[in-house]
Amino acid sequence: MQPDEQSEVFGPIDAGALREIRDLFVDLEPLVQTASLDDPLNPQTLSVELSDGVGAASTARIDVRWSLTGNYAVHYTDARDRNFRFDCHPKPDAPRRHFHSPPDAPSRPVDPSCISVSETSLVTRAILQRWRYAYTNGTFEGLNDAENPP
């Protein structure tokens, strides 16, 4: 898939949603060091730097994209190069809401996401709940096993 095709499927970015998500991360997660938009006038990505990561990871980052059509991609990566993603967008042969599992968040296969809500603030709270679960337990085990978070 070419980048233009992917953006057509994903849809144009919702700058207001990214700002709302940024504020929720800052207000709700004490480990947030910074939460910044890549471009203040035409943001495409929100990057949230965390002062600690899951298990032995000393730092982590969560990148968020959110479209005007309600599609989203939330990508966790940490200092140990471990990754996972909670996504909601059309993907051939996969559920619209899907999860790319750690440690490397492969494009395929994906699993159905445990996050079934669609409102921006509820998805953000669900992501934070799942991140906090992994962080508190020091493992990615069970990360996508919740029932309809938040």
Side-chain angles (χ1 to χ4, degrees):
M1 181 182 297
Q2 298 300 316
D4 288 343
E5 291 178 55
Q6 183 177 9
S7 63
E8 286 176 23
V9 170
F10 194 80
I13 296 299
D14 185 338
L18 289 181
R19 289 181 181 96
E20 178 184 354
I21 294 164
R22 176 194 59 198
D23 294 348
L24 282 166
F25 265 91
V26 169
D27 290 346
L28 299 174
E29 179 49 59
L31 294 178
V32 170
Q33 285 190 308
T34 62
S36 57
L37 301 170
D38 60 340
D39 180 334
L41 298 178
N42 185 26
Q44 299 299 301
T45 304
L46 165 66
S47 290
V48 179
E49 300 285 340
L50 301 164
S51 61
D52 203 2
V54 174
S58 59
T59 60
R61 186 181 78 239
I62 299 175
D63 293 326
V64 181
R65 292 176 43 234
W66 194 285
S67 79
L68 290 168
T69 56
N71 292 325
Y72 61 82
V74 180
H75 178 192
Y76 168 94
T77 189
D78 65 28
R80 297 179 56 96
D81 198 28
R82 296 173 304 169
N83 298 268
F84 67 80
R85 290 194 334 253
F86 283 100
D87 289 356
C88 176
H89 60 82
K91 184 173 182 70
D93 304 320
R96 177 175 161 78
R97 288 182 178 86
H98 53 274
F99 176 71
H100 300 262
S101 60
D104 53 1
S107 283
R108 297 221 185 282
V110 297
D111 296 312
S113 174
C114 67
I115 299 172
S116 61
V117 294
S118 56
E119 181 182 297
T120 308
S121 64
L122 293 178
V123 171
T124 303
R125 290 171 187 275
I127 296 291
L128 282 167
Q129 182 199 74
R130 301 320 302 149
W131 138 254
R132 188 41 81 166
Y133 173 88
Y135 179 76
T136 300
N137 291 295
T139 181
F140 296 113
E141 197 70 35
L143 180 63
N144 190 40
D145 291 348
E147 293 208 18
N148 196 25

